[in-house]
Each structure stands twice: as structure tokens, then as C-alpha cells.
């Protein structure tokens, strides 16, 4: 989980696109109750993740998509502190401060290049999963407060 993942090369898109589609089906399983997973969490040291992303402003209307070689190209200036948990650290729940919006560039399972803006909870999920492909765990970003004596 602490390993920086390698990018998926153009000649590997088809292979990892198929893996991404399987990851999507795994996340969509209602018995799991998960919203995202990254390659290193399933022993694939490549830059691939799946995450729930809204289709519209209705946050209950979402789809699960695969992102290959995702890169955050801009962050909101506004941040928010929320609880996060992770499949890799079950039973652990901590406060993490993150930007409330991001613009991300990635390839889909067909290798098409996509850029999109994502906000609120969904931006948090994507940031969390992108951290995984860079060997970063959410516990590395815990929000700490100081209490004056």
C-alpha cells in the first residue's frame, strides 16, 4: 500500500480496462457497500481506480467509473474536514481535511482521455483513491487540532 504505482502504458489499456470493468462490478455489489477502490488495494501496482461519481447534482444518482492514470490538475481553495475510512484499515475512522472540489484528468477503460470537475463527497472519494496509487494512506493526512492549555 505504500508503493508508488506505475502508469498504465498505451499498450496495456485493453488489459487494465478489463480489470477496471471487473473492479466496477465488485464495487457495485450492494452487499459490499463500498464506493471506491484502487489498484494497490487488490495487489495491482498500477494507476487504476474505481469510484462512485454523480451523474447529476442529485448525489443519490451516481455511477461507478474506472479511472486509468488519474491526475488531479486543480484543487478548490475551499476545504472541508470529514470522517474517512478505508477498506485497507478496517474499523479505523478519522477526520481528514481535503479540498471540496477537484478537476481530474484520466483515461477510461477504452483509453479515451477525460477531464471532469468533481465536488463534495465525490471529490473526497476520488482524492482518497488517487492517494492510494501514490502510496499515501488517509492516516497520513489526519486533521489535528491543538487545544490551548
Amino acid at each position: 500500500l505504500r508503493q508508488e504505482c506505475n502508469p498504465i502504458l498505451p499498450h496495456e489499456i485493453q488489459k487494465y480496462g478489463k480489470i477496471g470493468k471487473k473492479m466496477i462490478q465488485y464495487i457495485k455489489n450492494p452487499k459490499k457497500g463500498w464506493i471506491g477502490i484502487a489498484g494497490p488495494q487488490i495487489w495491482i501496482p498500477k494507476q487504476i481506480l474505481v469510484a462512485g461519481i454523480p451523474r447529476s447534482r442529485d448525489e443519490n444518482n451516481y455511477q461507478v467509473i474506472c479511472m486509468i492514470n488519474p491526475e488531479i490538475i486543480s484543487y478548490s481553495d475551499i476545504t472541508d474536514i470529514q470522517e474517512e475510512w478505508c477498506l485497507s484499515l478496517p474499523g479505523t475512522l478519522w477526520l481528514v481535511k481535503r479540498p471540496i472540489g477537484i478537476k481530474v484528468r484520466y483515461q477510461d477503460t477504452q483509453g479515451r482521455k477525460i477531464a471532469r470537475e468533481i465536488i463534495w463527497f465525490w471529490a473526497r472519494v476520488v482524492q482518497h483513491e488517487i492517494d492510494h496509487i501514490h502510496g499515501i494512506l488517509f492516516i497520513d493526512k489526519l486533521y489535528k487540532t491543538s487545544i490551548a492549555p
Side-chain angles (χ1 to χ4, degrees):
L1 289 176
R2 293 297 191 174
Q3 178 180 344
E4 177 79 27
C5 294
N6 294 315
I8 294 172
L9 302 175
H11 70 276
E12 298 176 313
I13 293 285
Q14 184 177 9
K15 173 185 174 182
Y16 287 98
K18 288 179 184 177
I19 291 170
K21 288 176 183 176
K22 289 180 182 178
M23 291 169 70
I24 288 170
Q25 292 309 311
Y26 193 74
I27 291 296
K28 281 185 168 181
N29 182 339
K31 293 178 184 173
K32 302 285 182 216
W34 299 343
I35 197 71
I37 194 167
Q41 293 177 286
I42 55 171
W43 302 281
I44 297 175
K46 290 286 194 172
Q47 293 184 9
I48 186 170
L49 65 87
V50 296
I53 303 293
R55 295 179 200 259
S56 67
R57 291 179 185 257
D58 175 7
E59 291 193 1
N60 292 319
N61 181 17
Y62 72 93
Q63 66 186 96
V64 179
I65 64 168
C66 178
M67 294 183 177
I68 294 173
N69 300 326
E71 174 188 12
I72 298 174
I73 54 178
S74 67
Y75 295 89
S76 164
D77 291 334
I78 302 168
T79 59
D80 188 23
I81 301 164
Q82 294 292 326
E83 291 179 334
E84 286 189 25
W85 63 277
C86 183
L87 301 171
S88 300
L89 301 166
T92 305
L93 191 66
W94 294 91
L95 293 175
V96 178
K97 183 178 181 179
R98 294 192 186 267
I100 64 166
I102 58 172
K103 185 170 185 179
V104 64
R105 182 172 38 217
Y106 62 94
Q107 292 171 275
D108 67 10
T109 58
Q110 304 299 312
R112 293 178 293 232
K113 294 180 180 178
I114 298 171
R116 71 188 312 163
E117 292 183 14
I118 306 170
I119 60 170
W120 296 110
F121 174 74
W122 310 103
R124 179 171 293 275
V125 170
V126 172
Q127 289 174 80
H128 178 108
E129 299 307 333
I130 288 177
D131 281 350
H132 274 301
I133 66 174
H134 294 294
I136 300 167
L137 297 175
F138 79 107
I139 57 172
D140 299 331
K141 297 186 170 194
L142 298 182
Y143 179 73
K144 297 179 181 173
T145 59
S146 61
I147 301 173

